[in-house]
Amino acid sequence: MVEKALISGNEAIGYGAIYADCTHYFGYPITPQNELIEFMAREFPELGRTFVQAESEFASINMVCGAALTGVRAMTSTASTAFSLMQEGISGIASMELPCVIVDVQRGGPGAGSTQHSQMDYLLATRCAHGGYKNIVLAPFSAQEGFELTQLAFYLADKYRIHVILLSDGLLGQMYESVELKKLEFPPLPGKDWAMKGCAAHNYERTFIHNAPGIIGSYYDFMKRSKEKYERIKEEEVRYETYEIEDADIVLVSYGSTARAAMEAMYRARKEGIKAGLFRPITLWPFPREAINKMTEDKKNFLVVEDCMGQMIEDVELAVEGNAVINLVGSMDRNLPTGSGMILSKKVLEKIKSFG
């Protein structure tokens, strides 16, 4: 019998990490992901696993680096402004090709911003910091999917020796939903013969990328291997869901919590005779460009719904290659005073009706 629990989206990610056999968590408190670090502080020691509240985000990401170097499943979680502080450590993790999971529960910015919900980290998560590396980005839109995608994140991290970002947001993290707790099954993974097994072994030579040939090869070898890895990921790991797009004249493109509001607007539009559909990316990198581009063959137009001033819309624009009209419902639409307390789905429905 499958166990069910009424839990927050943040706690669902914690359960996902436990079911994925994550053994090491390092983090530093910041709203709106504190339920996750609190969950880990309570549950991991009880299970004989390692929990460390680091002195900073910079410290926690480097602790993840050290743990991942030994081959264990390690993770951290943070939010927006603190995610920015981790970028140097994440770049080092990329240079060492270390598998780990990083959870970013987005909040308002830039700078310290506010604790208001947002989806303002899309470009940072998908475009990454310096060095041209890539990382897989998974975007849940429910507590259930947060639980399941966390397990997938650890599997993909080990499969490709890459860090995976789980990109949540303040609304998803705080809402409570019923979640079925079940361990997912994945194909076998390769062994971790690259992992450091003790200071005497000296079996891991890379701390930074070297420019000269040696034990780990040249810098060019690293870039060539990375490019081949990224191309394979783009071929094999694109994930998305579609709803009512077959006959749709207008397709909403949305992820995370805004996808829930977009879905409601889509069904409301359908009831009023408007042929609307929804395209929900699950992988934000690799982004499902080909799937969106294919829809332009049927002369569909697009309405991007995201809780920012427009970031994912850039990937949609690249995908359609100028062959469709694209509009945006973003945070500026969402927060305009209306005097009637309109929720986001009503804003989206208004935009659908005025589309053109």
Side-chain angles (χ1 to χ4, degrees), residues 337-355:
T338 65
S340 61
M342 282 188 174
I343 59 173
L344 178 58
S345 61
K346 291 183 179 180
K347 284 287 189 181
V348 177
L349 182 58
E350 279 185 352
K351 196 75 170 184
I352 292 173
K353 291 179 177 180
S354 65
F355 192 89

Side-chain angles (χ1 to χ4, degrees), residues 10 13 103-106 118-119 138-140 166-170 172-173:
N10 284 334
I13 292 171
V103 179
D104 178 13
V105 185
Q106 300 170 88
S118 81
Q119 293 177 321
L138 301 175
L166 191 73
L167 193 64
S168 181
D169 60 63
L172 283 178

Side-chain angles (χ1 to χ4, degrees), residues 57 96 116 120 134 137 162 174 177 184 300 309 322:
E57 291 84 4
M96 291 181 266
Q116 181 173 319
M120 294 183 178
K134 299 292 184 182
V137 184
I162 198 170
Q174 300 296 311
E177 295 184 303
L184 303 183
K300 301 181 190 299
M309 292 182 288

